[in-house]
Amino acid sequence: MSGSKSTSMTIGSLAKAAEINVETIRYYQRLGLMTEPKKPLGGIRRYDDVALARLRFIRRARWLGFSLEEIGELLKLEDGTHCDEAKALGERKLGNVRDKIRSLQQIEGVLDQLVEECCTQKDSVTCPLIASLHEGFETVAQ
Amino acid sequence: MSGSKSTSMTIGSLAKAAEINVETIRYYQRLGLMTEPKKPLGGIRRYDDVALARLRFIRRARWLGFSLEEIGELLKLEDGTHCDEAKALGERKLGNVRDKIRSLQQIEGVLDQLVEECCTQKDSVTCPLIASLHEGFETVAQ
DNA sequence: CTTGACTCCGTAGTCAACTACGGAGGTAAG
DNA sequence: CTTACCTCCGTAGTTGACTACGGAGTCAAG
């Protein structure tokens, strides 16, 4: 019914706001990542800011290397799955996210060092981006 | 440490060690991400642990959402580009990596809270995975 | 009430990143 | 030396994630 749903957008303005192609939104709907709001009998669909937030989340998660399938699982958490399921899933995802953070922090450390030292040391071409990653993956934390 | 097969793997054992398909390694060679060691005149190529480390790095970076093109740039840093170039590139990549870390930490926070609270609160289906991400920080690209 | 931009929907095409195939040749254990 | 498995290499196919197309319907400004 009517509502004071903040913003009512067409798919076009939604797409623009989320910086995502209209066709892509429809693609996500087909995959079940986004729901289609019901269409008022020979009219056009309207979207609210929840849809917008969801789209932005998908975009960011993609950028972070999650597949659409994984994103679907993350979104299921939001959508309220059964509690124990959700908890288990959440814990798995949390581990996953933390692994990614750890990996990125390793790269961050090396890049940082590289940028610092790059022009100060004349000798070695040792910018050990790889070396540091190659050891100490499973072993190291933080 | 690990039993180093160091300096003399065939492409097959390299692939197994890096958990990457042989064909994929050859594909990376074609793209210039990996160099082909020279072939001893009607013999077969041999790979060392530097190649292995490089492959593992590529795998991880892919997992973290970097494209092969971006990975190529990161690897250029390792390979010793000119200093100022390298520094500039390194700084850009560093910013990029830090953005990713920040995003992941946001997701981490929300997931953590979700896992904690999930079963303790009956009422709200408010597991605001999205909500928290939607505010936060807007921009970011690359 | 016309016109132009937009929506809807199914289908088809594109692009990056693999992944597989097949035949000629190399390698190593028995 | 045979046999089984591997490498090499070019080419072709697959998968996931979009992206485009086209025709029919819809909305809103003039």
Side-chain angles (χ1 to χ4, degrees), chain B residues 49-65:
Chain B
D49 47 4
V50 174
L52 177 55
R54 201 172 169 100
L55 273 178
R56 284 184 171 148
F57 172 73
I58 294 173
R59 205 162 94 89
R60 278 229 268 164
R62 285 283 303 123
W63 177 62
L64 291 167

Side-chain angles (χ1 to χ4, degrees), chain A residues 10 12 16 20 24 54 58 63 91 93 97 109 114 119 133:
Chain A
T10 64
K16 191 169 294 179
I20 286 183
T24 305
R54 203 171 167 100
I58 294 173
W63 176 63
E91 266 158 3
K93 290 297 173 195
V97 166
L114 187 148
C119 294
L133 287 167

Side-chain angles (χ1 to χ4, degrees), chain A residues 33-104:
Chain A
L33 292 178
M34 300 288 295
T35 57
E36 296 193 329
K38 23 210 147 321
K39 196 173 68 164
L41 262 140
I44 67 172
R45 290 180 235 281
R46 296 265 154 191
Y47 299 84
D48 58 17
D49 48 3
V50 175
L52 176 56
R54 203 171 167 100
L55 272 178
R56 283 185 171 146
F57 173 73
I58 294 173
R59 204 164 94 88
R60 280 229 269 163
R62 285 284 303 123
W63 176 63
L64 292 167
F66 293 97
S67 69
L68 291 181
E69 193 177 337
E70 290 171 312
I71 291 169
E73 295 188 323
L74 285 168
L75 287 172
K76 246 191 343 201
L77 291 175
E78 225 270 335
D79 295 340
T81 333
H82 257 350
C83 251
D84 350 348
E85 272 182 73
K87 188 161 184 171
L89 180 54
E91 266 158 3
R92 265 194 296 117
K93 290 297 173 195
L94 195 52
N96 196 268
V97 166
R98 284 182 174 144
D99 284 345
K100 289 203 179 201
I101 291 173
R102 226 173 294 128
S103 278
L104 280 168

